[in-house]
Amino acid sequence: MSEYQKSVKRELPPEVLQRFRSYGEILADDDIVAWTKVDDMYKSSVWRANAADEVASTCLQLLPLPCLWHGCLCIPLMAGCACCLGACTKRAKIDASLYYILTAGGLSTVKMGRRRCPCSQICLKAHGVRNFSVIEMGLETTDVKGCVTQCCHTCFCVPQMPRIEVAVRPILATDCCMRYAPLIILNGIEEHLYFAEELEKVRTAALEDPEMQPSGTMYKRHKKFVMRRRAAEQPPSGGSGAAGGM
C-alpha cells in the first residue's frame, strides 16, 4: 500500500473542505471516501488536456449529425484559439488547482484557483464546484482515448498523463449526444489507478443499494438534483426565471 493510499482519508485543506461543504449540494452531506488533486508534474499542462477534451466532446456530439461533420475540420483552428485564450484568461492556474472529492453519493470537482463571483445566480460555475451524482456515473476507463480525442490531444500538444474517463450511465443518457460525450474526465491526477478503484467501488455499491434503484427514494432525489443541474447548465432561452436554490 502506497503512502497515498494510507493517507487517502487524510483531511482536505481547510479552504477546499469549506468550499465543498458550501457548494457540494446533496453530496456535501456524505462522508468523504477519497480525494485527489492534480499532480504537481502536470500542473503546467493539464489545462491543455482539459481544453482538448472539451473540443473532443463537442465533436463527438456532432457524430449523430453527418451534415455537421465538416465542423470537425476546425479542430486545429480551435486548438490555436484555445491556447491563446488559455494564456490570456489564467486557465492554466485555474485547472492546476483542481481537487476531486469522492463520496458515497458521487464525485465533486473543486477549482480553488477560481475566485467566487458575487453574482453567483448569474455565474453558475462562479464558485468552481461541480457535482456529479453516483446515479449518473457509468463505467470508467483509464488511460484510454478514442480517435477523436487522440486527434484533439495531438493538436493541443498534450503530453502523456494519467487519465480517467467516466461515462454517462445508460439509463440517464436521454439523448444521442450524451451517449457519445463522457460525463467527466480526470486528467493528470495523483494515484489515478487507486482513485479509479475507489470510484468503481462507490458506483458498484450504489447499483446494489435498493434505495439507489429507479424505484428507490434516494434515486429519485438524486435524479431530481441531476435534472435541475442540467437545466441550470443550459444556455438561457430568453425567458426570465429565478435559479432554484438548495
Side-chain angles (χ1 to χ4, degrees), residues 46-75:
V46 70
W47 72 272
R48 293 206 300 269
N50 293 339
D53 287 333
E54 290 172 7
V55 173
S57 178
T58 301
C59 293
L60 288 169
Q61 293 180 37
L62 298 179
L63 287 179
L65 305 171
C67 60
L68 298 179
W69 284 358
H70 62 278
C72 295
L73 300 177
C74 298
I75 290 177

Side-chain angles (χ1 to χ4, degrees), residues 48-219:
R48 293 206 300 269
N50 293 339
D53 287 333
E54 290 172 7
V55 173
S57 178
T58 301
C59 293
L60 288 169
Q61 293 180 37
L62 298 179
L63 287 179
L65 305 171
C67 60
L68 298 179
W69 284 358
H70 62 278
C72 295
L73 300 177
C74 298
I75 290 177
L77 178 62
M78 295 167 73
C81 292
C83 288
C84 294
L85 183 64
C88 298
T89 61
K90 300 182 180 179
R91 172 162 187 170
K93 180 179 179 181
I94 293 173
D95 283 7
S97 69
L98 266 167
Y99 282 78
Y100 298 93
I101 303 174
L102 180 64
T103 71
L107 178 67
S108 293
T109 64
V110 181
K111 290 182 179 179
M112 294 306 298
R114 185 185 293 274
R115 292 183 298 178
R116 185 187 173 194
C117 176
C119 51
S120 56
Q121 291 297 330
I122 299 174
C123 306
L124 296 174
K125 301 177 186 176
H127 46 69
V129 179
R130 294 194 70 198
N131 305 284
F132 302 90
S133 170
V134 70
I135 69 166
E136 295 178 271
M137 301 190 311
L139 294 172
E140 69 266 7
T141 56
T142 56
D143 300 325
V144 176
K145 294 189 286 285
C147 57
V148 174
T149 303
Q150 184 63 58
C151 176
C152 291
H153 276 237
T154 301
C155 291
F156 279 72
C157 302
V158 179
Q160 187 68 27
M161 65 176 64
R163 173 188 176 87
I164 302 176
E165 182 174 307
V166 182
V168 181
R169 190 177 177 187
I171 195 171
L172 286 180
T174 53
D175 55 67
C176 56
C177 293
M178 290 182 63
R179 296 192 182 99
Y180 292 94
L183 175 68
I184 182 174
I185 299 172
L186 292 68
N187 284 307
I189 62 172
E190 297 176 344
E191 294 284 348
H192 73 294
L193 293 178
Y194 178 74
F195 196 77
E197 290 177 7
E198 295 298 312
L199 198 61
E200 179 61 22
K201 289 178 184 177
V202 167
R203 195 183 71 88
T204 301
L207 291 175
E208 295 174 351
D209 185 353
E211 288 297 313
M212 280 296 188
Q213 301 307 311
S215 59
T217 55
M218 287 299 294
Y219 178 92

Side-chain angles (χ1 to χ4, degrees), residues 16-73:
V16 180
L17 183 60
Q18 180 181 8
R19 184 168 293 194
F20 171 63
R21 294 302 187 196
S22 298
Y23 301 102
E25 300 190 74
I26 61 172
L27 304 185
D29 297 330
D30 296 325
D31 291 333
I32 296 175
V33 175
W35 66 272
T36 187
K37 61 185 179 69
V38 176
D39 197 312
D40 290 342
M41 66 184 299
Y42 302 117
K43 283 188 174 182
S44 61
S45 55
V46 70
W47 72 272
R48 293 206 300 269
N50 293 339
D53 287 333
E54 290 172 7
V55 173
S57 178
T58 301
C59 293
L60 288 169
Q61 293 180 37
L62 298 179
L63 287 179
L65 305 171
C67 60
L68 298 179
W69 284 358
H70 62 278
C72 295
L73 300 177

